[in-house]
């Protein structure tokens, strides 16, 4: 879209792309101001850009607009067009619709965040699986030696050794949970009453 405005901020020229973007007729735009075409927020934003351009500034920004209840991201570029007696009396500009580009970039960033998150979870799973296997090997040694001691233990010591075996069993259950988390073990679902 290309446009020109006079000192009263009325559109004096628009190409076919601008009315097509707005869903309006070309002849409807000519002679109108932003307040007569857009909602109050968009008109205020357009007027702010026009103020700067009428003060001699070249404007090149990225701004969000809402047109016909649809969100757009535009790159308006505006320049003074005609200057009389040191004062800008008309401006011209183009409006690039970069909504799809920005949305694609945002989607790419979201996918990258999701990928990093899944890689972290996978790393934690691999790490926990390695720890679980090492811990399981230690539990086998403790369990085996405790069972050997139980065969020759005096009655008072048997209670202590059984406590060790119970702790080994709880540790073994924990290893199973870690292996399930790391996806290195088959999940055996059970109903809990």
């Amino acid at each position: 879209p290309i446009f020109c405005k006079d000192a009263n901020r009325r559109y004096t020229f628009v190409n076919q792309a601008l009315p097509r973007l707005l869903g309006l007729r070309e002849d409807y735009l000519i002679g109108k101001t932003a307040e007569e075409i857009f909602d109050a927020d968009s008109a205020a934003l357009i007027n702010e850009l026009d103020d700067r351009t009428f003060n001699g500034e070249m404007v090149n920004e990225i701004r969000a607009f809402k047109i016909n209840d649809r969100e757009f991201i535009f790159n308006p570029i505006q320049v003074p067009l005609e200057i009389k007696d040191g004062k800008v009396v008309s401006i011209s500009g183009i409006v690039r619709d970069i909504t799809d580009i920005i949305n694609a970039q945002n989607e790419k960033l979201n996918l990258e965040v999701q990928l990093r998150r899944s890689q972290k979870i996978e790393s934690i799973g691999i790490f926990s699986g390695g720890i679980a296997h090492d811990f399981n090997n230690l539990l086998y040694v403790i369990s085996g030696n405790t069972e050997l001691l139980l065969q020759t233990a005096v009655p008072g010591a048997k209670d202590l050794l059984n406590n060790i075996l119970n702790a080994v069993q709880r540790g073994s259950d924990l290893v199973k949970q870690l292996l399930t988390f790391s996806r290195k073990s088959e999940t055996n679902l059970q109903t809990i009453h």
Side-chain angles (χ1 to χ4, degrees):
I2 300 172
F3 65 88
C4 295
K5 291 182 178 182
D6 64 18
N8 296 320
R9 294 154 193 256
R10 296 189 180 281
Y11 287 93
T12 58
F13 168 81
V14 294
N15 69 347
Q16 293 176 352
L18 185 60
R20 189 171 42 241
L21 175 68
L22 301 175
L24 300 170
R25 294 184 333 271
E26 182 177 342
D27 61 343
Y28 176 79
L29 296 174
I30 300 300
K32 297 248 184 344
T33 64
E35 289 87 1
E36 296 171 305
I37 300 168
F38 300 98
D39 64 61
D41 291 337
S42 295
L45 185 58
I46 291 168
N47 285 332
E48 185 255 319
L49 297 174
D50 289 350
D51 286 343
R52 291 169 48 200
T53 309
F54 276 107
N55 284 326
E57 183 180 338
M58 181 184 132
V59 174
N60 183 354
E61 297 183 358
I62 295 175
R63 295 292 187 105
F65 281 83
K66 191 171 187 178
I67 299 173
N68 298 330
D69 294 325
R70 185 172 166 215
E71 294 287 335
F72 288 93
I73 301 172
F74 291 132
N75 172 216
I77 301 171
Q78 297 184 185
V79 296
L81 183 64
E82 186 180 0
I83 300 173
K84 287 187 181 172
D85 299 325
K87 185 176 179 183
V88 177
V89 294
S90 67
I91 63 173
S92 181
I94 63 171
V95 180
R96 292 177 39 213
D97 180 3
I98 58 172
T99 307
D100 292 339
I101 295 168
I102 297 296
N103 289 341
Q105 288 175 345
N106 289 339
E107 181 64 23
K108 180 183 174 192
L109 288 174
N110 287 337
L111 290 173
E112 287 173 358
V113 166
Q114 289 176 8
L115 176 62
R116 281 194 295 276
R117 190 175 295 135
S118 68
Q119 287 172 335
K120 284 180 186 177
I121 291 171
E122 182 181 2
S123 296
I124 291 169
I126 291 168
F127 180 69
S128 66
I131 289 175
H133 282 294
D134 290 345
F135 189 60
N136 207 29
N137 291 339
L138 293 172
L139 291 176
Y140 280 128
V141 171
I142 295 169
S143 176
N145 286 321
T146 304
E147 287 176 5
L148 287 174
L149 287 171
L150 266 172
Q151 294 173 4
T152 59
V154 294
K158 287 187 177 187
D159 288 338
L160 295 173
L161 293 171
N162 280 324
N163 287 341
I164 293 172
L165 286 175
N166 287 335
V168 167
Q169 182 58 48
R170 287 194 307 273
S172 179
D173 293 341
L174 179 61
V175 166
K176 287 177 188 171
Q177 290 175 1
L178 284 171
L179 289 174
T180 299
F181 173 74
S182 69
R183 296 186 186 113
K184 293 184 185 257
S185 173
E186 291 297 318
T187 305
N188 187 10
L189 302 176
Q190 297 176 347
T191 303
I192 299 175
H193 298 283

